[in-house]
mmCIF file of all heavy atoms in Angstrom:
data_model
loop_
_atom_site.group_PDB
_atom_site.id
_atom_site.type_symbol
_atom_site.label_atom_id
_atom_site.label_comp_id
_atom_site.label_asym_id
_atom_site.label_seq_id
_atom_site.Cartn_x
_atom_site.Cartn_y
_atom_site.Cartn_z
ATOM 1 N N ARG A 13 94.690 181.663 -60.941
ATOM 2 C CA ARG A 13 94.106 182.977 -60.669
ATOM 3 C C ARG A 13 94.203 183.374 -59.205
ATOM 4 O O ARG A 13 93.710 184.431 -58.831
ATOM 5 C CB ARG A 13 92.635 182.984 -61.083
ATOM 6 C CG ARG A 13 92.466 183.133 -62.579
ATOM 7 C CD ARG A 13 91.035 183.521 -62.878
ATOM 8 N NE ARG A 13 90.501 182.637 -63.895
ATOM 9 C CZ ARG A 13 89.242 182.675 -64.317
ATOM 10 N NH1 ARG A 13 88.395 183.516 -63.771
ATOM 11 N NH2 ARG A 13 88.833 181.842 -65.235
ATOM 12 N N HIS A 42 98.371 180.684 -15.328
ATOM 13 C CA HIS A 42 97.993 179.534 -16.147
ATOM 14 C C HIS A 42 96.983 179.968 -17.208
ATOM 15 O O HIS A 42 95.938 180.536 -16.867
ATOM 16 C CB HIS A 42 97.392 178.451 -15.247
ATOM 17 C CG HIS A 42 97.352 177.102 -15.886
ATOM 18 N ND1 HIS A 42 96.424 176.782 -16.851
ATOM 19 C CD2 HIS A 42 98.135 176.013 -15.714
ATOM 20 C CE1 HIS A 42 96.633 175.531 -17.239
ATOM 21 N NE2 HIS A 42 97.669 175.040 -16.571
ATOM 22 N N GLU A 53 99.316 189.394 -17.714
ATOM 23 C CA GLU A 53 100.756 189.173 -17.633
ATOM 24 C C GLU A 53 101.405 189.277 -19.018
ATOM 25 O O GLU A 53 102.493 189.834 -19.168
ATOM 26 C CB GLU A 53 101.016 187.783 -17.027
ATOM 27 C CG GLU A 53 102.075 187.810 -15.959
ATOM 28 C CD GLU A 53 102.443 186.410 -15.482
ATOM 29 O OE1 GLU A 53 101.591 185.495 -15.538
ATOM 30 O OE2 GLU A 53 103.593 186.238 -15.084
ATOM 31 N N PHE A 67 107.933 194.499 -34.423
ATOM 32 C CA PHE A 67 106.813 193.549 -34.406
ATOM 33 C C PHE A 67 105.569 194.224 -33.832
ATOM 34 O O PHE A 67 104.459 194.075 -34.340
ATOM 35 C CB PHE A 67 107.171 192.306 -33.582
ATOM 36 C CG PHE A 67 106.046 191.300 -33.501
ATOM 37 C CD1 PHE A 67 105.554 190.698 -34.649
ATOM 38 C CD2 PHE A 67 105.476 190.955 -32.280
ATOM 39 C CE1 PHE A 67 104.501 189.777 -34.586
ATOM 40 C CE2 PHE A 67 104.434 190.039 -32.202
ATOM 41 C CZ PHE A 67 103.947 189.449 -33.369
ATOM 42 N N ALA A 74 98.625 195.936 -38.695
ATOM 43 C CA ALA A 74 97.774 194.827 -39.169
ATOM 44 C C ALA A 74 96.356 194.970 -38.621
ATOM 45 O O ALA A 74 95.380 194.663 -39.296
ATOM 46 C CB ALA A 74 98.375 193.483 -38.751
ATOM 47 N N HIS A 85 97.054 187.853 -42.532
ATOM 48 C CA HIS A 85 98.288 188.450 -42.015
ATOM 49 C C HIS A 85 99.184 187.315 -41.532
ATOM 50 O O HIS A 85 98.832 186.589 -40.600
ATOM 51 C CB HIS A 85 97.960 189.413 -40.861
ATOM 52 C CG HIS A 85 99.152 190.139 -40.336
ATOM 53 N ND1 HIS A 85 99.471 190.187 -38.989
ATOM 54 C CD2 HIS A 85 100.122 190.837 -40.980
ATOM 55 C CE1 HIS A 85 100.577 190.900 -38.833
ATOM 56 N NE2 HIS A 85 100.986 191.308 -40.014
ATOM 57 N N THR A 114 104.312 173.961 -20.562
ATOM 58 C CA THR A 114 104.771 175.311 -20.914
ATOM 59 C C THR A 114 103.731 175.933 -21.845
ATOM 60 O O THR A 114 102.988 175.225 -22.530
ATOM 61 C CB THR A 114 106.145 175.275 -21.616
ATOM 62 O OG1 THR A 114 106.032 174.534 -22.841
ATOM 63 C CG2 THR A 114 107.198 174.631 -20.717
ATOM 64 N N LEU A 123 99.600 187.562 -27.039
ATOM 65 C CA LEU A 123 100.361 188.771 -27.357
ATOM 66 C C LEU A 123 99.862 189.395 -28.659
ATOM 67 O O LEU A 123 99.677 190.614 -28.751
ATOM 68 C CB LEU A 123 101.853 188.429 -27.478
ATOM 69 C CG LEU A 123 102.765 189.589 -27.902
ATOM 70 C CD1 LEU A 123 102.821 190.675 -26.818
ATOM 71 C CD2 LEU A 123 104.186 189.091 -28.211
ATOM 72 N N VAL A 133 87.747 185.416 -27.855
ATOM 73 C CA VAL A 133 86.555 184.984 -27.116
ATOM 74 C C VAL A 133 86.576 183.457 -27.056
ATOM 75 O O VAL A 133 87.282 182.805 -27.817
ATOM 76 C CB VAL A 133 85.227 185.446 -27.777
ATOM 77 C CG1 VAL A 133 85.056 186.941 -27.630
ATOM 78 C CG2 VAL A 133 85.144 185.020 -29.227
ATOM 79 N N VAL A 138 82.410 174.840 -26.799
ATOM 80 C CA VAL A 138 83.566 174.417 -27.586
ATOM 81 C C VAL A 138 84.751 174.239 -26.641
ATOM 82 O O VAL A 138 85.244 175.206 -26.061
ATOM 83 C CB VAL A 138 83.896 175.446 -28.707
ATOM 84 C CG1 VAL A 138 85.091 174.978 -29.520
ATOM 85 C CG2 VAL A 138 82.678 175.667 -29.603
ATOM 86 N N HIS A 174 76.845 180.979 -35.507
ATOM 87 C CA HIS A 174 76.744 181.296 -34.080
ATOM 88 C C HIS A 174 76.287 182.733 -33.854
ATOM 89 O O HIS A 174 76.565 183.602 -34.665
ATOM 90 C CB HIS A 174 78.093 181.060 -33.415
ATOM 91 C CG HIS A 174 77.975 180.766 -31.954
ATOM 92 N ND1 HIS A 174 77.657 181.735 -31.043
ATOM 93 C CD2 HIS A 174 78.091 179.622 -31.261
ATOM 94 C CE1 HIS A 174 77.600 181.192 -29.834
ATOM 95 N NE2 HIS A 174 77.849 179.906 -29.938
ATOM 96 N N PHE A 175 75.622 182.985 -32.741
ATOM 97 C CA PHE A 175 75.192 184.365 -32.470
ATOM 98 C C PHE A 175 76.367 185.268 -32.097
ATOM 99 O O PHE A 175 76.262 186.484 -32.162
ATOM 100 C CB PHE A 175 74.069 184.442 -31.421
ATOM 101 C CG PHE A 175 74.302 183.601 -30.186
ATOM 102 C CD1 PHE A 175 75.091 184.067 -29.153
ATOM 103 C CD2 PHE A 175 73.719 182.349 -30.091
ATOM 104 C CE1 PHE A 175 75.294 183.305 -28.014
ATOM 105 C CE2 PHE A 175 73.924 181.567 -28.945
ATOM 106 C CZ PHE A 175 74.722 182.040 -27.915
ATOM 107 N N ILE A 194 99.306 168.384 -46.218
ATOM 108 C CA ILE A 194 98.152 168.946 -45.510
ATOM 109 C C ILE A 194 98.315 170.461 -45.544
ATOM 110 O O ILE A 194 99.283 170.995 -45.006
ATOM 111 C CB ILE A 194 98.073 168.444 -44.057
ATOM 112 C CG1 ILE A 194 98.061 166.909 -44.021
ATOM 113 C CG2 ILE A 194 96.830 169.018 -43.366
ATOM 114 C CD1 ILE A 194 98.107 166.314 -42.626
ATOM 115 N N LEU A 204 85.535 186.377 -54.961
ATOM 116 C CA LEU A 204 84.313 185.610 -55.234
ATOM 117 C C LEU A 204 83.219 186.535 -55.771
ATOM 118 O O LEU A 204 82.518 186.194 -56.731
ATOM 119 C CB LEU A 204 83.837 184.900 -53.964
ATOM 120 C CG LEU A 204 84.870 184.008 -53.251
ATOM 121 C CD1 LEU A 204 84.282 183.435 -51.964
ATOM 122 C CD2 LEU A 204 85.345 182.882 -54.171
ATOM 123 N N GLU A 206 83.545 189.338 -57.338
ATOM 124 C CA GLU A 206 83.921 189.731 -58.702
ATOM 125 C C GLU A 206 83.548 188.633 -59.699
ATOM 126 O O GLU A 206 82.971 188.878 -60.749
ATOM 127 C CB GLU A 206 85.444 189.973 -58.696
ATOM 128 C CG GLU A 206 86.059 190.232 -60.037
ATOM 129 C CD GLU A 206 86.181 191.729 -60.296
ATOM 130 O OE1 GLU A 206 86.058 192.497 -59.329
ATOM 131 O OE2 GLU A 206 86.381 192.086 -61.474
ATOM 132 N N HIS A 207 83.856 187.404 -59.353
ATOM 133 C CA HIS A 207 83.612 186.275 -60.250
ATOM 134 C C HIS A 207 82.112 186.005 -60.408
ATOM 135 O O HIS A 207 81.649 185.663 -61.492
ATOM 136 C CB HIS A 207 84.316 185.027 -59.709
ATOM 137 C CG HIS A 207 84.217 183.838 -60.618
ATOM 138 N ND1 HIS A 207 85.095 183.626 -61.655
ATOM 139 C CD2 HIS A 207 83.335 182.804 -60.661
ATOM 140 C CE1 HIS A 207 84.771 182.511 -62.299
ATOM 141 N NE2 HIS A 207 83.702 181.988 -61.707
ATOM 142 N N PRO A 224 73.714 173.457 -41.733
ATOM 143 C CA PRO A 224 73.599 172.884 -40.396
ATOM 144 C C PRO A 224 74.670 173.465 -39.468
ATOM 145 O O PRO A 224 75.707 173.928 -39.938
ATOM 146 C CB PRO A 224 73.833 171.384 -40.614
ATOM 147 C CG PRO A 224 74.191 171.200 -42.049
ATOM 148 C CD PRO A 224 74.087 172.506 -42.762
ATOM 149 N N LYS A 234 75.623 169.413 -25.180
ATOM 150 C CA LYS A 234 75.155 168.201 -24.508
ATOM 151 C C LYS A 234 73.667 168.259 -24.186
ATOM 152 O O LYS A 234 72.986 167.247 -24.145
ATOM 153 C CB LYS A 234 75.929 167.981 -23.203
ATOM 154 C CG LYS A 234 77.444 167.988 -23.354
ATOM 155 C CD LYS A 234 77.982 166.720 -23.986
ATOM 156 C CE LYS A 234 79.507 166.689 -23.969
ATOM 157 N NZ LYS A 234 80.116 166.591 -25.287
ATOM 158 N N GLU A 257 81.354 175.181 -47.746
ATOM 159 C CA GLU A 257 81.431 174.401 -48.979
ATOM 160 C C GLU A 257 81.059 172.945 -48.690
ATOM 161 O O GLU A 257 81.622 172.322 -47.789
ATOM 162 C CB GLU A 257 82.865 174.483 -49.522
ATOM 163 C CG GLU A 257 83.068 173.792 -50.839
ATOM 164 C CD GLU A 257 84.537 173.762 -51.270
ATOM 165 O OE1 GLU A 257 85.430 174.078 -50.444
ATOM 166 O OE2 GLU A 257 84.782 173.410 -52.434
ATOM 167 N N ILE A 261 73.186 174.510 -48.381
ATOM 168 C CA ILE A 261 72.322 174.138 -49.508
ATOM 169 C C ILE A 261 71.398 175.302 -49.874
ATOM 170 O O ILE A 261 71.123 176.174 -49.046
ATOM 171 C CB ILE A 261 71.473 172.879 -49.194
ATOM 172 C CG1 ILE A 261 70.637 173.102 -47.924
ATOM 173 C CG2 ILE A 261 72.351 171.645 -49.043
ATOM 174 C CD1 ILE A 261 69.544 172.072 -47.742
ATOM 175 N N LEU A 280 89.027 178.346 -58.209
ATOM 176 C CA LEU A 280 89.855 179.202 -59.076
ATOM 177 C C LEU A 280 90.756 180.152 -58.296
ATOM 178 O O LEU A 280 91.861 180.444 -58.713
ATOM 179 C CB LEU A 280 88.946 180.057 -59.976
ATOM 180 C CG LEU A 280 88.450 179.450 -61.275
ATOM 181 C CD1 LEU A 280 87.446 180.407 -61.925
ATOM 182 C CD2 LEU A 280 89.624 179.213 -62.226
ATOM 183 N N GLY A 283 94.254 180.097 -52.403
ATOM 184 C CA GLY A 283 95.677 179.938 -52.135
ATOM 185 C C GLY A 283 95.810 178.951 -50.999
ATOM 186 O O GLY A 283 94.830 178.619 -50.338
ATOM 187 N N MET A 287 101.534 174.923 -43.040
ATOM 188 C CA MET A 287 101.852 175.584 -41.770
ATOM 189 C C MET A 287 102.987 174.833 -41.073
ATOM 190 O O MET A 287 102.784 173.769 -40.501
ATOM 191 C CB MET A 287 100.630 175.589 -40.851
ATOM 192 C CG MET A 287 99.390 176.287 -41.404
ATOM 193 S SD MET A 287 99.412 178.087 -41.281
ATOM 194 C CE MET A 287 99.505 178.353 -39.522
ATOM 195 N N PHE A 292 102.459 181.502 -38.473
ATOM 196 C CA PHE A 292 101.231 182.047 -37.897
ATOM 197 C C PHE A 292 100.434 182.770 -38.980
ATOM 198 O O PHE A 292 101.011 183.461 -39.827
ATOM 199 C CB PHE A 292 101.584 183.049 -36.785
ATOM 200 C CG PHE A 292 100.420 183.869 -36.304
ATOM 201 C CD1 PHE A 292 99.507 183.340 -35.405
ATOM 202 C CD2 PHE A 292 100.230 185.171 -36.764
ATOM 203 C CE1 PHE A 292 98.416 184.096 -34.968
ATOM 204 C CE2 PHE A 292 99.153 185.930 -36.325
ATOM 205 C CZ PHE A 292 98.242 185.386 -35.427
ATOM 206 N N ASN A 297 87.802 186.952 -40.617
ATOM 207 C CA ASN A 297 86.734 185.961 -40.799
ATOM 208 C C ASN A 297 85.545 186.502 -41.608
ATOM 209 O O ASN A 297 84.748 185.716 -42.116
ATOM 210 C CB ASN A 297 86.255 185.521 -39.405
ATOM 211 C CG ASN A 297 85.550 184.178 -39.383
ATOM 212 O OD1 ASN A 297 85.875 183.266 -40.150
ATOM 213 N ND2 ASN A 297 84.578 184.042 -38.494
ATOM 214 N N GLY A 303 89.878 176.783 -45.300
ATOM 215 C CA GLY A 303 89.576 175.358 -45.225
ATOM 216 C C GLY A 303 90.869 174.572 -45.110
ATOM 217 O O GLY A 303 91.912 175.124 -44.715
ATOM 218 N N LYS A 304 90.783 173.294 -45.424
ATOM 219 C CA LYS A 304 91.981 172.447 -45.338
ATOM 220 C C LYS A 304 91.954 171.435 -46.474
ATOM 221 O O LYS A 304 90.932 170.804 -46.721
ATOM 222 C CB LYS A 304 92.006 171.735 -43.984
ATOM 223 C CG LYS A 304 93.271 170.897 -43.774
ATOM 224 C CD LYS A 304 93.398 170.447 -42.332
ATOM 225 C CE LYS A 304 92.535 169.231 -42.067
ATOM 226 N NZ LYS A 304 92.850 168.594 -40.772
ATOM 227 N N VAL A 306 93.714 167.998 -47.787
ATOM 228 C CA VAL A 306 94.581 166.868 -47.448
ATOM 229 C C VAL A 306 94.870 166.109 -48.740
ATOM 230 O O VAL A 306 93.951 165.635 -49.406
ATOM 231 C CB VAL A 306 93.913 165.943 -46.406
ATOM 232 C CG1 VAL A 306 94.820 164.755 -46.097
ATOM 233 C CG2 VAL A 306 93.603 166.718 -45.130
ATOM 234 N N GLY A 307 96.145 166.031 -49.101
ATOM 235 C CA GLY A 307 96.558 165.305 -50.299
ATOM 236 C C GLY A 307 97.227 163.997 -49.915
ATOM 237 O O GLY A 307 96.748 163.279 -49.033
#
Side-chain angles (χ1 to χ4, degrees):
R13 282 196 231 176
H42 197 284
E53 226 187 332
F67 179 62
H85 184 231
T114 62
L123 176 67
V133 289
V138 181
H174 205 287
F175 47 82
I194 305 175
L204 306 177
E206 173 95 15
H207 185 85
K234 307 285 187 239
E257 184 186 12
I261 57 166
L280 275 174
M287 301 280 299
F292 169 80
N297 201 34
K304 184 168 81 168
V306 179

